[in-house]
Amino acid sequence: MASSSATSSAKDKTLIVVESPSKAKTINKYLGKDYMVFASVGHIKDLPKKEIGLDFDNHYEPRYEVIAGKEKVVRQLKKLAGEASDILIATDPDREGEAIAWHIANEVDFTRKPVHRVLFNEITKKAIVEAIQHPHQIDYRLVRSQQTRQGLDKIVGYKISPFLWNVVLRGLSAGRVQSVALRLICERENEIEKFQPKEYWTIIADFTTATGETFSAKLVKINGNKAEINNGEEAEKTASAILSRIYGVAAITPKLQQRKPPLPFTTSLLQQAASNQLGFGSKKTMRIAQQLYEGIEIGAEGATGLITYMRTDSTRISSEAVEQAERYITQQYGTEYTGGTKAAKNSKKTQDAHEAIRPTLVSHTPDTMKQFLSPDQFKLYALIWKRFLASRMAPAKIEQTRVEVSDHEQQFLFRASGSKVLFPGFLKVYNEQKELDYEARKSTRDDEEKEQIVQLPKKLSVNETLNLDDLEKKQSFTRPPARYTEASLVKELDNYGIGRPSTYAGIFSTLQDRRYVELQKKKIIPTELGRDVSVILVANFPDIFNVKFTAHMENELDKVATGEDDYEEVLDSFYRPLETALSVRKNDPLLPQNHDAETCDKCGKGKMVIKWTASGKFLGCSNYPSCRNIKPIASAKVRPTETGIRCPGCSNGRMVLRNGRFGPFLACTNYPKCNTILKLDKQRKIEPPKTPPLETDLDCPKCGAPLYLRTGKRGLWLGCSKFPKCRGRQAWGQLDPSIQQHWQEAMEEHQAKHPLVTLRMVDGSPVDMRMSIDDIIARAEENGLVEIDNGEEQEKPAEER
């Protein structure tokens, strides 16, 4: 077994080093007693946390140190390397994995033994044996590429974040890619706010044939021009004219279409499809995909990798996998269903070295694997399996028929479209047309309006007279650009060439952690802080936080990986313009929010400029501290949102959704009489109410304050009651058994007095804690559980003030 215990020995064995214990377990299953598999559990070394870690006077050379907590892993790694006959490093097949391999190789260099690199695109017996038989050297170009990316990110974090501390608020941070993503989100929000909707009307007619069959058709032309009806008056006038005419079939145009099967998943497409179809966030998708790649226990087969490597830009499939899929398709559906699409060329991206994301064995169908997988693992595996199989199937053949209906004077032209599947092809397996339409779209701004498909009469002929039965006049308004979802944000970044497979998952969660954005009803909305930060960064560093420049830097990183560009030159091309901009803006920052600042009404000299604090913004005199004039910034009060949830702390209160300085939370309508607060997690799901801590008479070893007794995942634990000012802890295991017994009994009594509360809606039904608060509110509205409060907003809870 893979092991990291001090008693393990690699004497006279081949040592194979991987990152994760589950990956080690899967690989170990396929190898005999001559191999020892050891897990480093990710990176063992990194740039220092509290400093930039780059030597600017020595070609930007990075300075690495062992990650805190990894000292024991490094000691054991060295011990095993010293005992082993050979050393193979089998970390993930990407830039990050290559960097980990390089650090491990440096740590075991003292052995003077040759160290080789092996790559597994899939963790199957054949792939592992073949990789071990063909080892090679660590690719230092990939290591340099990873170092370049890390160096760029460090430079931004350590050079621009302090700028934000000085001009906005201490503790804020900037990121090379995240700040550009924030800019896109904020600019989209600005477009939405400035959008002016325009009214338009559509007219739908219901026609009946002589045999009694009916169908609907849309008015598309008036007197040969596109039908544009801008108001109700025009609609009424047009409708009156339409009703006075006699109609017949002007044209019937059948068209045979071949709908090509989709390409298999890349990382970007997988994250988008998992978000759209399964509701998974990017981080969750990649976490589950990692589990499927590293290995799942599947009965007698043991730990088995179910999918290929999940960080890839490639849509290429190996010939062996193609043959495997075609055999399966032939057996299950027939030879006529085989076919498939060719991989798109993607030579500019280094990750194209890997295959697309696919199942390692097509015979591991979702149904046969379901018993071994968690519900989320099953959903994602089924999505990957179906997509891959569909990519190797024949195109679907669809007959689309367009019918045009006109009046006898040819003033009005109506159009209806119908379709009939002649041969389903890949649709037998993957009939996700909405997802495929989404992927085909170039823009993320809005939903493209598609021609409505209707059921056409079975018998219809040109010049056939039709009866006009009914006319529907529909008022609509043009819509603003759509807010980004996690899926469409990844799509936008991918379209621009910003970020790479290993970075997509962390972009949104980083912005959310920094409180720059919020997720509401699956839409990404910038916070006021996020918008302020974005405006200031773009104003002061327009050439750095720029979509084209960031995409250019991504290409430069890829060139480092292929040896076309140099580590130092790329960092230099980024750092020097940044240093120049910083030297100009450090003492003269541009703050667009203050361009129209009014003169101070107290001193008459300074300007009343916006200043930021942890709890919000205010106006303060620029002559501070000479003039201490301050004023609140007037803002419209946002009424709290009713949730339909009964307050668990009092008998007649309701929980409402509020926004505080730490983000959204739920509070009781009976505040200040009832102080009940419920927190929301990053997915805007309600965190279950916890049992309050039990105050003990034990003293904190750091400050002497009473210790609180709490229940955690590992049992009882003691922490200082003054947290977070004091972070003192007392180890439960070090207490005398009699004291442990006393406080264990006390905790049981305490828990009996404070039983866990089941949250309920106002109608008594339990709250579904798996749903986000937005979905809970939507369901409450549907069921009529939400009370409309027309009064003034109540005083805000202390947490919000």
Side-chain angles (χ1 to χ4, degrees), residues 433-450:
Q433 194 54 45
K434 188 176 179 183
E435 180 66 27
L436 296 176
D437 290 342
Y438 161 83
E439 289 176 12
R441 282 166 42 201
K442 298 296 182 186
S443 172
T444 61
R445 294 175 57 81
D446 49 24
D447 295 326
E448 295 177 357
E449 192 172 337
K450 295 192 71 176

Side-chain angles (χ1 to χ4, degrees), residues 496-570:
Y496 280 120
I498 296 173
R500 288 296 180 260
S502 59
T503 64
Y504 292 133
I507 291 172
F508 170 71
S509 59
T510 300
L511 292 175
Q512 199 174 31
D513 291 343
R514 291 173 179 171
R515 293 190 287 124
Y516 292 163
V517 301
E518 293 176 346
L519 194 65
Q520 295 183 17
K521 295 184 178 179
K522 299 183 181 179
K523 302 289 185 180
I524 301 173
I525 300 174
T527 62
E528 188 175 24
L529 175 63
R531 296 178 79 166
D532 283 343
V533 166
S534 182
V535 165
I536 291 168
L537 287 177
V538 172
N540 289 276
F541 310 103
D543 296 330
I544 302 296
F545 297 109
N546 176 291
V547 168
K548 288 184 178 178
F549 179 76
T550 306
H552 167 72
M553 292 310 299
E554 293 290 354
N555 289 330
E556 294 303 301
L557 289 169
D558 288 342
K559 287 181 180 178
V560 174
T562 57
E564 299 173 59
D565 216 331
D566 178 70
Y567 167 83
E568 182 180 358
E569 289 177 6
V570 172

Side-chain angles (χ1 to χ4, degrees), residues 681-696:
D681 64 16
K682 291 175 185 177
Q683 284 71 46
R684 290 174 68 86
K685 293 179 181 177
I686 302 170
E687 293 185 359
K690 295 179 181 178
T691 302
L694 172 63
E695 184 174 326
T696 72

Side-chain angles (χ1 to χ4, degrees), residues 391-630:
S391 75
R392 303 312 314 157
M393 295 179 75
K397 293 178 182 178
I398 297 171
E399 183 182 71
Q400 284 203 328
T401 303
R402 174 177 286 180
V403 175
E404 292 185 344
V405 177
S406 181
D407 63 290
H408 61 290
E409 293 183 8
Q410 298 185 347
Q411 183 179 0
F412 301 107
L413 182 70
F414 290 84
R415 184 176 293 155
S417 292
S419 69
K420 183 169 65 174
V421 176
L422 302 178
F423 174 68
F426 75 92
L427 296 176
K428 274 268 191 183
V429 173
Y430 193 83
N431 194 6
E432 301 290 344
Q433 194 54 45
K434 188 176 179 183
E435 180 66 27
L436 296 176
D437 290 342
Y438 161 83
E439 289 176 12
R441 282 166 42 201
K442 298 296 182 186
S443 172
T444 61
R445 294 175 57 81
D446 49 24
D447 295 326
E448 295 177 357
E449 192 172 337
K450 295 192 71 176
E451 190 172 1
Q452 192 72 29
I453 301 297
V454 300
Q455 184 71 42
L456 294 174
K458 292 179 181 179
K459 292 182 179 180
L460 204 61
S461 58
V462 177
N463 297 326
E464 179 180 345
T465 302
L466 301 171
N467 289 327
L468 175 58
D469 291 339
D470 194 16
L471 211 58
E472 179 191 1
K473 304 180 292 295
K474 184 182 176 184
Q475 181 190 35
S476 301
F477 294 89
T478 54
R479 294 180 296 179
R483 285 192 173 104
Y484 288 110
T485 61
E486 274 201 73
S488 61
L489 179 61
V490 169
K491 184 181 181 74
E492 190 86 327
L493 294 171
D494 197 30
N495 286 344
Y496 280 120
I498 296 173
R500 288 296 180 260
S502 59
T503 64
Y504 292 133
I507 291 172
F508 170 71
S509 59
T510 300
L511 292 175
Q512 199 174 31
D513 291 343
R514 291 173 179 171
R515 293 190 287 124
Y516 292 163
V517 301
E518 293 176 346
L519 194 65
Q520 295 183 17
K521 295 184 178 179
K522 299 183 181 179
K523 302 289 185 180
I524 301 173
I525 300 174
T527 62
E528 188 175 24
L529 175 63
R531 296 178 79 166
D532 283 343
V533 166
S534 182
V535 165
I536 291 168
L537 287 177
V538 172
N540 289 276
F541 310 103
D543 296 330
I544 302 296
F545 297 109
N546 176 291
V547 168
K548 288 184 178 178
F549 179 76
T550 306
H552 167 72
M553 292 310 299
E554 293 290 354
N555 289 330
E556 294 303 301
L557 289 169
D558 288 342
K559 287 181 180 178
V560 174
T562 57
E564 299 173 59
D565 216 331
D566 178 70
Y567 167 83
E568 182 180 358
E569 289 177 6
V570 172
L571 286 182
D572 216 42
S573 67
F574 182 85
Y575 177 64
R576 293 201 179 280
L578 177 59
E579 273 290 275
T580 302
L582 274 170
S583 64
V584 173
R585 294 296 167 215
K586 190 173 181 180
N587 298 317
D588 184 27
L590 294 175
L591 299 176
Q593 292 92 334
N594 291 326
H595 282 172
D596 300 322
E598 296 179 358
T599 303
C600 176
D601 56 352
K602 211 168 195 178
C603 69
K605 297 178 181 178
K607 294 285 187 179
M608 295 301 289
V609 297
I610 292 175
K611 297 190 176 184
W612 288 264
T613 68
S615 57
K617 300 190 294 187
F618 65 93
L619 293 175
C621 183
S622 59
N623 274 343
Y624 177 88
S626 300
C627 176
R628 295 177 177 269
N629 188 19
I630 62 170

